[in-house]
Structure formats: C-alpha cells, structure tokens
Amino acid sequence: MIRRLLLLFVALLFIGVRGASGRERGVGVLSSAWPATSVSRVSEIGRGIGVVFSPDLSVPGNCRFYEALGFACFQDADWRRVLDGIHRHNVLYPERRIYTLVLETHGTNGNGLKLQSSYSPTADRSYIAIGALQELLEPDGINYILVSACNSGRLLRPYIRNELDVYNVDRLFLPATCGIINASPDFDESRSAVTIITPQSSHIETTLVGSVKELTPQAQRLIATAARALHIVPPTQLAVSDIMMQILTRDSRLQLAVNQYVDELSPVIQSADRSEELFVRFKTYVNAVAAREAATSKAPRRTKSVQRSSIR
Amino acid sequence: MTRARSNPVLMTVAALSLIFALVGCRSSSGYGTKTNTSTTTTNTTTETYTAPPTTSTPSITPAPATSTITTTTTLTNPPMAPTSDLTAAATTDTTAQTTYQTQTTGTTTSTTTNTATVASNLNTTGTTEPARHHRRMRKD
C-alpha cells in the first residue's frame, strides 16, 4: 500500500515538473525569439522583428510607426504579397534582417490565419496554414513565429496545421477572395527549424488604437526623426496588440506555449481596463527609451564642450 | 372597620385586560388602514389588466433581432473602406527597391463613444494627452 502511494506521489511530481518545464520553455523561448536587451534608441526597439498586420486590424500609417521603431512591417490582405515582402526585406536589407515574425492577424476562431481588408464577403481576403508559414519562411531565415491571433492554439491542431479545412462551418471563415495557402503534402513540421509561439491560453486577442501624441514630446520628436531617416512620413497613430505590449514591457503575466495545440474554442476576452493598463505601460516603455536616447546623445556634446573649455 | 382588600390576581387580570384592550384597538386600527390600501391596489391592478390586448402586440414587434449583432460588429470590427492607395516610400538604397505601403484612407463609420474619444485625441494639438478609452479591435 505504502509502495503504491509512493509511486503515485512520484508520478504526480513528474507530471508537475513536466508542466512547469513546459511553461518555462514558453517563457524561455522569448529570450531567444526576442531578447530583452536594454534598448538605447527608439529606432532600435523592433530590431530583428517583423510584424504582419491584417489591414482591418490596422490604422492609416500604422506601418510607419513600426518602421520608425525599427520593425519591418508588412500589411496586406494577400498572404502571397506578405511572404514576398518578407523575402525581399531579408534579401535586400541584410543589416536589418528579421528572424522573428509577429502575426497581428485574425485567427478565424482557430480555423486559419486570416488577412482581410474588411468583413465584407467580397473584400480582399486570404488564409494560410501554420505549416505553410513554417515551410515558406524557413528559407528566408525566419526562426520564430509569434502568433497573436484569436484562439491561436487551435491553429496548431494536427488536422488543420498543414492544410486548412475549407468546409468548416465557422461564420468567420469568409470567402478566400485572394486564396488559401497550405503546406506541401510532404511537409514534415517536426523537422522545421521555425518555432511557433502562441499564448499559453487560447483566447480572443485584441488590438488597441492609440495616438503618437500620447507619448512625451521627446519620444514624438525621436520617432519623427527616425521616420525621416527612413524617408517616411512621421506617423500619427498606431495599432498595438495586447500581446505585443506584454512582450515589449516584459509583462510577468505573459505565458507562452511552444508548438502546442488546443482543441477548445475559447470566448474569453481580456477586459478593456487590462488593455488600457498595458497601453500605459507601453507608453512608459517607449518614453523611457526615448529619454535614454536623449540622455546618451547629450552626453558626448557635454564632454566635447568640457574639452573645448579646458583647451582654452 | 373591615377594609376591602384588593386581590392581586384580580388586579393583574384587570391590568392585562386593559393593556390588551389598548393594543387591540391599535392593531385593529392598523388593519383598518391596510384594508384601505389593499382596496387601492386592487383598483390599480384591475386597470393594468384591462390594457394587454392593445399593448402586447406592438411591444413585441418593434424589437429588431439585428440590433445586437450590428452593434457588436460595429464595435469590434469597424468597417474600413475597401479602397486603398499605395504610397511609394523611397528607401535609403538608391539602386532600386521601392517599398510599398498600404494605407487605408477610409473613414470609420463607427459611432461608438470609444471612436469619438480617439478622434478627439487625434484632433487635439497638445503635448501628452491621456486617452481613457481607446478603440479596441477583436482579432477573431
């Protein structure tokens, strides 16, 4: 009897340790996918990171905001053009190559990654399977794909991972006017070098719309300077997801999963207050980087002026 | 010479009967009032019950089933104009490579208070302005 109890205890301990290591892996992978280095310049915040926006989850000039922050930004309703843009970016700009991609797209209740111009049935719209992304982005040097879409865990279900089910009865699965991209029949995801990262709990993700004017004048000025350096018009507004804000601010409540699928469809949505709270922290983060950049750029000037005065 | 003795039992009985009489009067008066009230309520309910045949039909008909769905769609996914212009943005590389950036020029037709707040924030020219409620979009 005692032996049985002991065995049960050991088994439970093993399960507990495995669960904890899974979570650790989720958090740990972020340090590889998006290292939490101390950024000293506003234009370096998104270095090495690409972000894909569904047009209807964006605002005018949104990509300009991300580009000013050092991200590579892709926004289109056609996955083919997005993939082409990523390929061209990494070929043409090796000094700014991206290795992690954040998908700010729809999840279609976990039935397919969707990009669309609007909810109109005739609007430009395309879908892609997770396996197809892994297969097509691996040659471009993408190592990590962070899926910030609703019920993203369901996208990794084995039966739709490589080929989407076009006969699903989900009302959000609107006509694919720009096509569907699936993985090749012989694609083996277990051999892929691309890691898929999703939130630990599958739920409804949200994006918040803010204004650049909400940042400090210092941050606004530095963002404008960074934009002009790229020959783009300084942005005025931005769309930022909860998960993006959590990553940037290294929110302790962020829990990620690696290559894990979920079956259940979740209606859970984070409260608006929580999003607002994250946005405040996001602004603080950008403002802090801007303050640091301003301080470091002033320091050499002071040193020079001191040197000049000593020469005199 | 014989003095009439007061019986304590009788005295208690008398006192108690007096108290009961007083209380009884009060309670009876209370009941009286309640009776009056009940009469009024009965009158009111009678009036209410006469109405149903005329009022019931229109009260059900005008409730449109679409109202809830439409509101939800508008709040979560504000319609964007399908027309989009492609703005060419020159890059630092002079050899070629023009990056195209999609810009949706449409206006949001959403009439929610959240949108109004965002719009007011954008229009104001100030330094740092705290927005209490930003527009949110669901990524479903």
Side-chain angles (χ1 to χ4, degrees), chain B:
Chain B
M1 285 293 286
T2 48
R3 196 177 167 185
R5 269 189 177 182
S6 56
N7 192 346
V9 180
L10 280 171
M11 287 291 282
T12 317
V13 170
L16 280 170
S17 61
L18 186 67
I19 291 162
F20 279 128
L22 283 167
V23 174
C25 281
R26 277 189 185 178
S27 64
S28 69
S29 66
Y31 280 122
T33 324
K34 277 191 181 174
T35 317
N36 290 340
T37 325
S38 68
T39 317
T40 10
T41 14
T42 318
N43 289 340
T44 328
T45 43
T46 318
E47 280 173 18
T48 322
Y49 275 108
T50 43
T54 46
T55 51
S56 61
T57 320
S59 66
I60 297 163
T61 327
T66 49
S67 64
T68 323
I69 301 160
T70 318
T71 317
T72 315
T73 320
T74 319
L75 273 168
T76 53
N77 301 297
M80 307 283 279
T83 50
S84 60
D85 65 341
L86 294 169
T87 314
T91 56
T92 44
D93 189 0
T94 48
T95 50
Q97 182 52 32
T98 311
T99 316
Y100 287 97
Q101 191 180 352
T102 313
Q103 281 192 322
T104 317
T105 51
T107 49
T108 313
T109 51
S110 173
T111 51
T112 56
T113 41
N114 289 349
T115 317
T117 317
V118 173
S120 66
N121 287 331
L122 293 173
N123 292 337
T124 318
T125 49
T127 51
T128 311
E129 49 185 60
R132 285 175 190 170
H133 293 290
H134 296 84
R135 182 159 65 94
R136 267 174 114 205
M137 295 179 278
R138 284 163 66 108
K139 301 162 84 178
D140 50 9

Side-chain angles (χ1 to χ4, degrees), chain A residues 89-245:
Chain A
H89 178 89
N90 274 1
V91 167
L92 294 167
Y93 308 107
E95 76 285 357
R96 286 194 284 134
R97 92 171 251 281
I98 55 169
Y99 54 89
T100 296
L101 202 62
V102 182
L103 306 181
E104 303 285 9
T105 68
H106 295 277
T108 328
N109 280 336
N111 289 305
L113 279 167
K114 178 172 69 177
L115 293 175
Q116 64 180 11
S117 298
S118 75
Y119 274 90
S120 163
T122 53
D124 283 354
R125 184 178 301 105
S126 63
Y127 298 87
I128 197 166
I130 288 284
L133 274 175
Q134 285 181 294
E135 186 181 16
L136 297 167
L137 291 173
E138 190 175 343
D140 292 328
I142 301 294
N143 299 328
Y144 300 95
I145 296 174
L146 215 152
V147 189
S148 169
C150 285
N151 281 285
S152 51
R154 297 188 86 228
L155 295 162
L156 278 78
R157 285 174 295 163
Y159 102 98
I160 60 154
R161 187 177 176 132
N162 292 341
E163 188 178 350
L164 299 181
D165 176 16
V166 291
Y167 299 108
N168 75 75
V169 290
D170 199 299
R171 64 180 178 83
L172 291 173
F173 203 90
L174 296 163
T177 51
C178 295
I180 296 172
I181 305 175
N182 290 317
S184 307
D186 56 343
F187 173 70
D188 181 6
E189 73 270 10
S190 64
R191 291 185 178 181
S192 176
V194 182
T195 306
I196 304 293
I197 308 167
T198 57
Q200 179 82 34
S201 62
S202 208
H203 55 260
I204 293 171
E205 299 285 343
T206 54
T207 292
L208 195 137
V209 177
S211 168
V212 175
K213 282 181 181 167
E214 293 177 59
L215 299 167
T216 58
Q218 194 175 48
Q220 288 179 49
R221 196 175 58 250
L222 287 168
I223 287 170
T225 309
R228 286 191 200 101
L230 293 168
H231 302 282
I232 55 174
V233 180
T236 54
Q237 52 181 331
L238 62 127
V240 61
S241 65
D242 286 356
I243 196 164
M244 177 70 93
M245 293 189 283

